Amino acid sequence: MSFERGNREIPYGRQSITAEDIQAVVDVLKAPFLTQGPKIAEFEKALAARCGVPYAVAVASATGGLHIAYEAAGLGSGKRLWTSPNTFVASANCALYCGAEVEFVDIDPKTYNMSVARLSEKLEGAARSGALPDIVVPVHFSGQPCDLEEIRTLSRKYGFKVVEDAAHALGADYRGSMVGSCAYSDLTVMSFHPVKMVTTGEGGAILTRSSEFYEKLLRLRSHGITRDPARMKSLSLGPWYYEQIDLGYHYRITDMQAALGLSQLKRLDQFIERRRALAKRYYSLLEGLPVVLPFQQTNQESSWHLYVIRLLSDRLKWTHRQVFEALRARGIGVNLHYYPVPLQPYYRDLGFKAGMFPEAERYASEAITLPLYYELSDEEQDYVAATLKDVLLQAERGS
Ligand SMILES: *Cc1c(COP(=O)(O)O)cnc(C)c1O
C-alpha cells in the first residue's frame, strides 16, 4: 500500500480551508466592522440563492437556529414537538428550551431517517387522545433527505408545522428541489460546524419562505430588538432609538464567520461532488464484507455528510464495541451517529426507556461512521477499506 499513515488518525470528518478562505477572514479583520458588517447579509443572500428560498437568517450555531426556529413557529409551554431519536441532542433540546414537550418517532430501518409509517400511526393515536404535535422535525440523517412530501401531506391533515433539521444536508436534493428550499416545510436549519458541508467555525442558518417568520427570526437573533419604525409601539425618541418588542437572544454570527462561509459556499459544488465520489468508491471497496452499506432512495441525492455502515452482527463473533476499538486502535477515527437521544440520561429522567424505539436502538448497536470528507484522499480511503476488511475478518473468526 502506497499510503503511509504514520501516527495520524484519519478522522471521520474535517473542514477544508484554502488560502482564499483565510484571506476572506483577514480582509474582515482589517475592515471597520468585525461583527455586524456587510458580510452577513451577503452570506445570507448567497445561501438563500443556493437553496432556492427567499429568506436566510445566519446565526451563531444551528442549535441557536433550531431554538429560534421552534419559537418563531409557535413552540412554547404546553406545546409538543416530535423528532427522530437518531439525531444530535440539539434537535430535541431546543424544544425543551421553549418549555415544550418532546416525543420521538422511531426510524426507518433502511434509511435511518424518521419513519413516515411510524409517524402516521403515531399521529392517528395522538389525534384520538388529543395530543397532536405542534411541530414535527425531520432530520435529514447523513445528508439523505427525509420523505418530505409525505410528511407535508400529514402536516396538512393534522395541522402541525414542519421544521427541517438539515444540519447534514446542505447541497442535497430532493425530488428536484434543493434541501433548504422549504418547498415542503415552514423552516429549515443548517449547521456550519467544521465537520458539516461548509464551515464558518461555529455557525448556522435558518431558511424560510415566510416574510413573517423571517422578521421574527431577525428579532429573536438579537435580543428581540427592532429598529423598524413600522413595528415600534411608540414614536421614535431620537436617532438612537430602538425598541425591544420580544424576549430575544444573542445568537448573532460575526462578519468574520460570514466571510468564511461566503468563501466556502463557492466551493459547495466541489465539496458535494467529491463526497459523492468517495461514497461511490466505498460502495465498491466494501462490497462483500459482512456489513450493510447505506441504502439510498431514488429521485433524490444525498450530500453525504456521513457514510454509515451497519455490522451484520449474526456473522461476527466480535461485538460492535470490539470492532469499533480495533478500528480506532489502527488509526481510523470511526464514530457513532447517533446513540439514541431518548436514551441519554437527561431524557431517561424525563421517562424515556430502552425498548421504546427499537429500530433506533438496534441501529445504534450496529452502526459505524467511516471517514468521509472533502480532503480524504483515495489512498487514505483505500487504507480505511483495507483495515476494515482486515478487522472484520478477525471479527468473523473471533481471533
Ligand atoms: C451538528 C448538528 C446540530 C447542531 O449544530 P451546531 O451548529 O453545532 O449547533 C443539530 N442537529 C444535527 C442533526 C447536527 O448534526
Side-chain angles (χ1 to χ4, degrees):
M1 187 152 317
S2 59
F3 167 68
E4 272 305 317
R5 187 178 56 83
N7 286 326
R8 274 183 312 126
E9 179 171 90
I10 301 174
Y12 84 86
R14 192 174 64 199
Q15 71 278 14
S16 162
I17 300 291
T18 59
E20 288 97 295
D21 289 335
I22 294 167
Q23 192 56 48
V25 176
V26 171
D27 287 347
V28 174
L29 284 166
K30 294 176 180 167
F33 300 103
L34 296 188
T35 60
Q36 304 309 290
K39 292 294 167 191
I40 295 173
E42 262 182 67
F43 177 47
E44 290 172 337
K45 209 169 147 202
L47 183 66
R50 185 63 173 74
C51 294
V53 69
Y55 304 110
V57 177
V59 284
S61 68
T63 303
L66 287 165
H67 181 194
I68 61 176
Y70 293 173
E71 196 169 314
L75 206 66
S77 98
K79 308 264 171 145
R80 295 178 203 90
L81 178 143
W82 293 4
T83 190
S84 170
N86 185 31
T87 186
F88 183 57
V89 292
S91 323
N93 286 348
C94 292
L96 301 180
Y97 297 168
C98 296
E101 262 177 49
V102 176
E103 179 55 281
F104 300 92
V105 180
D106 207 359
I107 61 169
D108 176 312
K110 277 169 99 173
T111 64
Y112 319 143
N113 277 331
M114 175 190 285
S115 156
V116 172
R118 295 290 88 74
L119 174 63
S120 184
E121 281 167 17
K122 207 175 175 88
L123 286 165
E124 268 179 48
R128 284 193 298 270
S129 63
L132 282 168
D134 300 280
I135 298 179
V136 171
V137 181
V139 181
H140 305 305
F141 179 75
S142 76
Q144 168 154 240
C146 296
D147 297 324
L148 289 169
E149 214 173 326
E150 290 77 1
I151 294 168
R152 194 42 147 183
T153 304
L154 290 169
S155 106
R156 296 228 161 86
K157 180 168 174 194
Y158 292 101
F160 57 82
K161 293 209 161 54
V162 178
V163 179
E164 298 169 62
D165 182 338
H168 298 184
L170 176 60
D173 56 68
Y174 172 79
R175 299 183 189 174
S177 59
M178 296 300 298
V179 167
S181 72
C182 299
Y184 305 96
S185 70
D186 298 281
L187 298 137
T188 300
V189 179
M190 300 286 179
S191 172
F192 309 125
H193 180 277
V195 295
K196 306 286 166 71
M197 310 311 297
V198 302
T199 191
T200 59
E202 298 285 0
I206 311 133
L207 306 161
T208 184
R209 290 177 176 262
S210 153
S211 60
E212 217 173 296
F213 284 153
Y214 174 63
E215 287 185 18
K216 179 100 185 176
L217 291 167
L218 290 178
R219 287 200 301 280
L220 291 176
R221 170 172 76 175
S222 192
H223 310 280
I225 284 171
T226 184
R227 291 175 196 277
D228 176 4
R231 303 217 157 249
M232 291 184 183
K233 313 277 179 202
S234 322
L235 287 176
S236 172
L237 301 178
W240 53 268
Y241 192 68
Y242 61 78
E243 283 187 354
Q244 185 201 338
I245 61 174
D246 292 306
L247 183 60
Y249 308 91
H250 178 176
Y251 285 163
R252 296 188 308 257
I253 196 166
T254 66
D255 233 42
M256 298 173 280
Q257 292 169 299
L260 177 56
L262 199 53
S263 178
Q264 288 259 303
L265 207 51
K266 292 185 187 134
R267 288 197 292 147
L268 178 60
D269 287 334
Q270 222 177 303
F271 289 163
I272 298 287
E273 197 183 326
R274 177 64 182 155
R275 284 174 176 275
R276 285 179 180 161
L278 285 164
K280 211 167 152 193
R281 283 189 96 245
Y282 266 140
Y283 279 107
S284 59
L285 289 168
L286 306 181
E287 221 184 282
L289 297 188
V291 296
V292 179
L293 302 180
F295 168 83
Q296 294 294 295
Q297 308 226 70
T298 51
N299 210 3
Q300 57 185 44
E301 267 206 272
S302 178
S303 56
W304 289 105
H305 167 54
L306 303 173
Y307 192 92
V308 179
I309 57 168
R310 268 176 93 156
L311 301 179
L312 289 172
S313 311
D314 298 351
R315 287 177 46 185
L316 305 178
K317 297 203 170 76
W318 282 10
T319 61
H320 181 238
R321 181 180 182 145
Q322 281 175 302
V323 173
F324 221 96
E325 286 175 346
L327 289 166
R328 282 275 179 98
R330 294 176 66 170
I332 302 185
V334 287
N335 222 314
L336 175 63
H337 299 92
Y338 291 94
Y339 183 72
V341 177
L343 297 188
Q344 293 289 351
Y346 189 86
Y347 283 85
R348 287 183 194 251
D349 285 348
L350 297 178
F352 294 101
K353 291 182 185 65
M356 285 179 166
F357 307 99
E359 292 296 349
E361 287 170 35
R362 208 179 130 217
Y363 159 84
S365 72
E366 298 171 344
I368 298 180
T369 303
L370 300 181
L372 177 65
Y373 49 92
Y374 177 72
E375 290 185 6
L376 183 72
S377 68
D378 287 4
E379 292 72 26
E380 286 170 319
Q381 189 183 30
D382 291 343
Y383 173 80
V384 172
T387 308
L388 179 65
K389 198 169 186 171
D390 211 38
V391 165
L392 290 176
L393 263 173
Q394 280 182 272
E396 280 181 310
R397 286 198 306 260
S399 57

